[in-house]
Amino acid sequence: MSTPYPFTAVVGQDDLRLALLLNAVSPAVGGVLVRGEKGTAKSTAVRALSALLPEVEVVVGCRFSCAPGAPDPACPDGPHETGPGSSRPARVVELPVGASEDRLVGALDIERALAEGVKAFEPGLLADANRGVLYVDEVNLLHDHLVDLLLDAAAMGSSYVEREGVSVRHAARFLLVGTMNPEEGELRPQLLDRFGLTVEVAASREPDLRVEVVRRRLAYDDDPAAFAARWADEEDALRARVVAARALLPEVRLGDAALQQIAATCAAFEVDGMRADIVMARTATTLAAWAGRTVVLAEDVRQAALLALPHRRRRNPFDAPGLDEEKLDDTLEEFGGGDDAPEDDPDPDGPGGGGQPPQDGPEGPQDGPADTAEESPRPEEPAQPEEGQGGRPAGSGEQSPVRAAEPFRTKMLSVPGLGEGAAGRRSRARTDHGRTTGSRRPRGALTKLHLAATVQAAAPHQRARGRSGRGLVVRRDDLRQATREGREGNLVLFVVDASGSMAARQRMSAVKGAVLSLLLDAYQRRDKVGLITFRGKDATVALPPTSSVDAAAVRLESLPTGGRTPLSAGLLKAHDVLRVERMRDPARRPLLVVVTDGRATGGPDPVALGTRAARLHAAEGTASVVVDCESGPVRLGLAGALAGELGGTAVTLDELRADSIAGLVRDVQGASGAHRRVA
């Protein structure tokens, strides 16, 4: 086994280390989500935590880590009698992003269950992580069905594995730790709320700190064992402090003043539900124990709020996490200063006090916790020229960006047909989850048994197999896999007209609001998104296809307008992007969303060029929708004509709303759609 990087050798990242240590002292805090850019020691710190966790007492031979003093009565390896057990190190079990459902929850041998009535169960990662740490790197990229299983296990403290009425249950109480890069997409709110604490990490911009990071990493890579030995004393001291804090934790008193501050803080920041209050109370109590105190002070409540609330105050994926620290201080001051520390408590600033982890030693400088910056207020928008009757702004030059109108709930736009892409919530697809539509012979391991088809396949052979008694003689060739239909996520590629004909203030604000609404819809339906804009003489890929919907919203917000309308350039750029994406991920079907008034100007014969570019998409069967942004009493119908050339559908901004009279669901036409132009 390779020597892990020492926890105490991590340079800086004080908030990250503190959050992990608080969970080591009290798993009831509820885990931690680490958000930050790549290369910031997120995974290194989490994996190093295992060396600081106290050993676990387990029943000898139990694959589910039952406690000897209180074994699980429903343990598949039980029943166990109470008695002495054995000690083993606490586990940090890593869940790969691409893991299968069976790898996570375990696998049941259906063939033996049907033929012999035996529950032959192979435990999964949830069983391995029981009474330990379950670590998910890139947790925001985890498949939806695995997220659902994690949510169930985290809520109930147990895992259920069911296969056609045969079920197994085992305990699954674990500390959930996840790391993620926000640039690759955000987490579902349900899973986000399951993390007790969250921290933001970033690489230091101080040259001395960066030098120390490189120096230590090179020393570790040259000789991991020798490097770990250099930090052995610091590791032992920190491990002893974790044990001492655990022992002190039951004696810590959470007074009424601190509880009042916690409740007032959660109310002031309008967090949903009561989980935030509970997590803050547990965190503040653990902070006091970590500092060697038996009374919770106002400083503990403040630190608990900074760790427990930032990810709970987000209202949509485009809100930046973080807290207004001035508002936090005002709230704490208004509702009292907390309890005073007793005279016999250790000095909070002494060797055993303080909320921060110990320093890294004399050889390494330290990096303080990163400040949480508030979103800066938007600058006052300069006046825009009004749109004339002909649909053109008074000036043809570039106009400053305008703010998007309020987003709204949109109709569901879906790709026709049946796909086989990544699990999501947009278009129909063959999936591992959903309603059963038929059966087939299994390819590889059987995961979803179609019981009726299996019995039907085995029934004609019972006499030849010498069946006697009531049991059914089932062989592997009889097993049938259930085929299911669910929903997939798509690649939604936005092609947005940012030319002068769209530059009037009210129109562009409405257009941005519509695209923002579609982006929110794409976030909820687990789509990848991309953004192409066209104006002037060319088109630009403002955002390559990504799972980070909030990144697309940021690019949209700063989108300037003005100039001519190179419609063909935008469609050709979209064709190039989709061609590359088909090679990268052929199973993910695209949905092209063109947001324009349909005008095409600039260059020789721009209308004919736009028509030919549109027919390229129609020839490849790309599902498409044109959001018609034309306004005013006189309408030319150019967007509808463009939709016909694309073989798609046109909708107006008003029709895009889910509450419009046009209906709630619209399937986007593909190349064989009714609007396809017959040459």
Side-chain angles (χ1 to χ4, degrees):
M1 180 181 296
S2 60
T3 304
Y5 193 90
F7 188 87
T8 50
V10 175
V11 177
Q13 307 297 12
D14 289 343
D15 281 354
L16 167 59
R17 295 189 297 153
L18 177 61
L20 292 173
L21 289 169
L22 292 177
N23 278 278
V25 172
S26 175
V29 167
V32 58
L33 174 64
V34 187
R35 299 164 46 94
E37 59 196 18
K38 53 187 176 294
T40 50
K42 301 188 299 293
S43 300
T44 299
V46 173
R47 294 187 177 108
L49 179 67
S50 60
L52 303 177
L53 298 175
E55 290 191 338
V56 179
E57 290 286 331
V58 297
V59 173
V60 177
C62 179
R63 298 174 296 169
F64 302 87
S65 302
C66 283
D72 181 6
C75 177
D77 284 353
H80 303 299
E81 295 184 1
T82 57
S86 62
S87 298
R88 64 160 175 79
R91 294 172 180 163
V92 176
V93 178
E94 188 163 350
L95 171 61
V97 169
S100 65
E101 179 180 340
D102 285 347
R103 183 72 186 97
L104 177 62
V105 300
L108 194 64
D109 191 329
I110 299 298
E111 187 176 5
R112 291 190 64 191
L114 288 176
E116 305 174 28
V118 176
K119 293 183 180 180
F121 182 66
E122 184 65 30
L125 295 176
L126 289 180
D128 293 341
N130 187 34
R131 303 180 66 202
V133 177
L134 182 63
Y135 169 47
V136 189
D137 193 14
E138 306 294 352
V139 64
N140 51 326
L141 303 182
L142 199 63
H143 285 191
D144 268 8
H145 68 283
L146 297 183
V147 170
D148 293 336
L149 293 170
L150 273 182
L151 287 172
D152 290 342
M156 297 185 297
S158 59
S159 174
Y160 287 86
V161 182
E162 297 191 6
R163 296 288 188 272
E164 300 295 337
V166 181
S167 63
V168 172
R169 187 207 72 86
H170 65 82
R173 296 180 178 87
F174 50 83
L175 179 65
L176 184 60
V177 178
T179 56
M180 60 174 283
N181 184 349
E183 295 176 356
E184 297 171 338
E186 288 291 346
L187 275 175
R188 285 171 55 179
Q190 296 93 328
L191 182 56
L192 195 63
D193 191 50
R194 284 292 171 186
F195 288 98
L197 310 179
T198 185
V199 292
E200 296 277 340
V201 296
S204 173
R205 299 296 181 256
E206 292 293 330
D208 290 343
L209 289 172
R210 298 175 74 94
V211 166
E212 186 62 25
V213 170
V214 175
R215 181 182 291 120
R216 294 186 187 183
R217 187 70 210 191
L218 293 177
Y220 172 77
D221 291 341
D222 288 342
D223 192 341
F227 183 81
R230 288 172 51 195
W231 292 90
D233 291 342
E234 286 82 355
E235 292 281 291
D236 290 342
L238 192 56
R239 191 179 301 109
R241 186 175 175 186
V242 169
V243 172
R246 277 195 172 191
L248 183 63
L249 186 60
E251 303 176 22
V252 176
R253 180 171 62 87
L254 182 64
D256 290 341
L259 274 174
Q260 184 74 15
Q261 286 182 316
I262 290 170
T265 301
C266 292
F269 285 99
E270 300 179 345
V271 296
D272 295 330
M274 294 298 298
R275 182 174 283 119
D277 304 64
I278 296 170
V279 171
M280 270 191 68
R282 289 172 174 166
T283 304
T285 303
T286 308
L287 280 163
W290 180 249
R293 287 185 270 100
T294 57
V295 173
V296 174
L297 304 181
E299 64 194 66
D300 301 320
V301 176
R302 185 182 192 278
Q303 183 67 54
L306 293 175
L307 292 172
L309 296 187
H311 61 303
R312 291 188 166 89
R313 59 174 294 275
R314 302 182 69 197
R315 290 295 178 264
N316 64 63
F318 308 142
D319 290 339
L323 286 184
D324 181 345
E325 294 196 32
E326 184 176 349
K327 179 179 179 180
L328 173 61
D329 291 335
D330 291 343
T331 303
L332 294 176
E333 184 177 354
E334 179 182 355
F335 287 89
D339 298 304
D340 294 327
E343 295 180 0
D344 58 348
D345 271 350
D347 180 3
D349 297 325
Q356 297 297 334
Q359 298 295 309
D360 286 339
E363 58 191 284
Q366 290 303 302
D367 183 16
D371 293 330
T372 304
E374 278 192 87
E375 184 180 357
S376 57
R378 304 177 188 272
E380 185 176 348
E381 297 165 0
Q384 298 288 324
E386 294 297 326
E387 186 179 24
Q389 188 169 351
R392 295 284 181 182
S396 59
E398 179 177 314
Q399 308 297 330
S400 300
V402 298
R403 295 182 63 176
E406 282 298 314
F408 51 84
R409 189 166 65 91
T410 67
K411 288 187 178 70
M412 190 179 89
L413 305 175
S414 61
V415 178
L418 195 63
E420 295 182 344
R425 298 180 179 179
R426 184 172 296 279
S427 305
R428 295 172 54 216
R430 298 182 185 91
T431 61
D432 293 333
H433 300 268
R435 63 185 181 89
T436 301
T437 58
S439 65
R440 60 172 173 81
R441 290 182 181 273
R443 306 184 190 109
L446 179 73
T447 55
K448 299 291 182 182
L449 178 74
H450 195 295
L451 184 57
T454 298
V455 172
Q456 187 176 9
H461 308 291
Q462 296 306 296
R463 181 176 297 177
R465 293 173 183 174
R467 173 189 170 186
S468 61
R470 301 177 62 183
L472 186 68
V473 181
V474 179
R475 295 180 180 173
R476 180 163 294 276
D477 289 343
D478 301 328
L479 300 179
R480 294 295 183 268
Q481 175 83 25
T483 57
R484 304 197 174 200
E485 182 179 312
R487 293 279 172 176
E488 67 177 0
N490 298 110
L491 166 59
V492 182
L493 183 60
F494 294 92
V495 182
V496 180
D497 185 349
S499 64
S501 64
M502 307 281 288
R505 168 181 290 275
Q506 291 184 351
R507 182 191 294 190
M508 199 60 202
S509 178
V511 167
K512 284 188 175 183
V515 177
L516 190 65
S517 303
L518 290 167
L519 285 171
L520 278 167
D521 182 68
Y523 166 77
Q524 294 165 351
R525 301 191 188 281
R526 305 293 172 263
D527 296 317
K528 290 180 68 175
V529 298
L531 178 63
I532 294 173
T533 63
F534 60 94
R535 56 184 290 271
K537 297 181 180 180
D538 203 358
T540 303
V541 180
L543 183 72
T546 175
S547 298
S548 181
V549 177
D550 52 341
V554 172
R555 306 292 172 88
L556 177 72
E557 191 69 25
S558 59
L559 177 65
T561 56
R564 294 186 178 275
T565 312
L567 176 62
S568 61
L571 295 175
L572 290 174
K573 184 70 73 175
H575 184 268
D576 290 342
V577 170
L578 293 180
R579 176 177 54 81
V580 173
E581 288 301 310
R582 283 190 182 99
M583 293 187 289
R584 289 177 175 170
D585 188 1
R588 188 181 290 270
R589 297 187 294 165
L591 172 61
L592 182 67
V593 179
V594 185
V595 185
T596 181
D597 57 9
R599 290 178 172 83
T601 60
D605 205 357
V607 176
L609 287 174
T611 299
R612 287 199 291 269
R615 291 179 181 175
L616 281 176
H617 291 282
E620 294 186 353
T622 302
S624 59
V625 59
V626 178
V627 179
D628 185 357
C629 302
E630 193 173 24
S631 61
V634 179
R635 303 200 178 196
L636 303 178
L638 299 176
L642 175 62
E645 299 295 349
L646 285 167
T649 303
V651 295
T652 65
L653 290 175
D654 290 336
E655 291 172 340
L656 193 61
R657 294 179 178 270
D659 54 359
S660 72
I661 61 174
L664 294 179
V665 178
R666 180 188 294 267
D667 282 332
V668 179
Q669 299 296 320
S672 59
H675 293 286
R676 185 180 180 185
R677 181 183 183 276
V678 179

